Amino acid sequence: MKEDNQGNRHARGIVLVTHIVTAMVKIIGFLFSGSAVLMNESIHSVIDCLNQGLLAIGEKRAQRGRSELYQFGEGRATYFFSTVVAMTVFFGGGLLAVIEAGQNLFDPAHEVTNIQFVVAILFAGLFVESSAVQRGWQEIKQQNTDKQPLFTFLKESRESEILLGFTEDLFALISVSIALIGILLTALTNNPLFDSLGGIIGGVLLVIVAGFLGKEFYSLLIGESASKSDLKKIQQTLATEEVTEVTDLRTLHLGPDELLVVAELVIQPKITSDEYAVIDRLEQEIRTQLAPKKNVYLFGDGKTKAKKEMITEGRSSLKESAYFFTNSGCFEC
C-alpha cells in the first residue's frame, strides 16, 4: 500500500510539472498574441495545476487515519477539496474567461497576432489533452467492471480523483478543439470574432463542468450510500440460509476507499446456534466482495429470534439477543 501511495504521488508530480509547463507556454503565447481562445486555454491549464495541488492536499489529509476528533478518519477530505476546485476554481475561471472574451467580442480594436504561434500551441495542447483523456479512459475501463455507460459510471463513482480528473480532461479536450476551430476560422477570414466566440464557449464549458461537479461532490460530502453494484454484492452475500431476514441495511461512504455498512439481521436458529461464526463469516465475505477497498467497517445490530418454551405462568415467551460486531469482535447487548 505504501509503495502504491508513493507511485501515485510520483505520477501526480509528473502530471503537475507537465501542467505547469503547459500553462506557462500558453500564458506566454496569450501575451504575445492577444488571443481570447489562448487566454481561455491558459485558464484551463492553471486550473489543472490547482486541481492537482488541492487533490494532493486532500489525499494527504485523508490518509491521516483515525483520531479522537475524527474517529472514522478524514476520508472525505478529498471530497471537500474537490468541491473547492469545482465551485471556486472552475466556476471562477469560467466566469473570468466569459467576461474577458466577451469584452474582446465587442472591442473593435481587438486583433490576434502571431496566429501561427497560437495554432502551434493549441495543437500541442490538443495532443496533451488527448493523451490525458486516453489515460483516464483506460483507468475507467479497468474499474467499470459492470460495463456501465460513461455518464452513469461517473455519477455512480465514489472516486473523486476519477470524477474530477476525467471530467476536467474531457471538457478540456472539447475546449481546446473549439479553440483550435475558432483560431483557424480567424486565420482564414481575418476576423477576430471567431477567436472571441471560441473563448466564450470555452468559458461556458468550464461553468457547466463546475455545475456538474459541484452537484456530485455536494452529494458525496453529505454522504452517499454504496454504489448500486456494491450494494448488490452486499445483498447477495447476506442472502444465505442462515439469514432469514435483513430487516435493515444502510451504507455510507466515509471516503473513496472506506465504506460503513450497518445491517440488522435475523439469524435462523434451526440452522446454526453459533451466531458469532455466521456474523464473522458474512463480514469477511463482504470485505472480499468489496475489494480492493482498503477498509470496510461493518457493524451489525442482529436480532436472533429463538422461540423458547418457558414454564413460567404457563406461557411461552420470545427471547431476543442483539449483537453488535466490529472489526475486532462481536458483543452481546
Side-chain angles (χ1 to χ4, degrees), residues 69-219:
L69 180 60
Y70 304 106
Q71 297 189 356
F72 284 103
E74 300 180 52
R76 276 190 272 186
T78 54
Y79 298 154
F80 170 77
F81 284 99
S82 297
T83 305
V84 171
V85 172
M87 299 310 296
T88 58
V89 181
F90 277 64
F91 184 80
L95 196 61
L96 176 63
V98 171
I99 292 173
E100 290 295 327
Q103 290 178 346
N104 291 334
L105 181 65
F106 297 103
D107 183 5
H110 173 62
E111 62 177 353
V112 182
T113 58
N114 299 313
I115 290 184
Q116 298 88 343
F117 185 39
V118 176
V119 172
I121 292 175
L122 290 177
F123 268 115
L126 185 66
F127 173 77
V128 171
E129 299 299 344
S130 299
S131 301
V133 170
Q134 186 176 11
R135 288 194 303 270
W137 176 246
Q138 292 300 322
E139 188 173 356
I140 287 176
K141 285 176 64 177
Q142 292 177 359
Q143 296 196 15
N144 188 15
T145 55
D146 295 329
K147 307 300 181 182
Q148 296 174 319
L150 177 61
F151 184 73
T152 303
F153 173 82
L154 291 176
K155 287 186 68 66
E156 282 285 306
S157 176
R158 307 302 188 259
E159 295 283 346
S160 57
E161 187 170 351
I162 290 180
L163 180 60
L164 181 61
F166 183 78
T167 304
E168 196 280 329
D169 289 337
L170 180 61
F171 274 80
L173 178 60
I174 297 172
S175 177
V176 74
S177 301
I178 294 173
L180 191 56
I181 294 173
I183 200 65
L184 289 175
L185 288 175
T186 297
L188 290 173
T189 63
N190 199 27
N191 188 346
L193 171 69
F194 298 105
D195 174 69
S196 300
L197 289 176
I200 292 174
I201 294 173
V204 170
L205 286 175
L206 274 178
V207 174
I208 293 173
V209 172
F212 170 72
L213 292 176
K215 179 179 179 297
E216 292 302 311
F217 287 124
Y218 168 81
S219 182

Side-chain angles (χ1 to χ4, degrees), residues 29-81:
F30 162 67
L31 294 176
F32 277 94
S33 66
S35 170
V37 293
L38 206 51
M39 177 201 66
N40 181 71
E41 289 305 308
S42 301
I43 294 174
H44 265 289
S45 294
V46 172
I47 288 174
D48 285 335
C49 299
L50 294 175
N51 177 20
Q52 293 296 322
L54 289 174
L55 281 179
I57 295 173
E59 185 179 274
K60 186 175 181 180
R61 293 188 66 92
Q63 293 174 353
R64 287 183 175 182
R66 298 191 303 175
S67 64
E68 184 177 353
L69 180 60
Y70 304 106
Q71 297 189 356
F72 284 103
E74 300 180 52
R76 276 190 272 186
T78 54
Y79 298 154
F80 170 77
F81 284 99

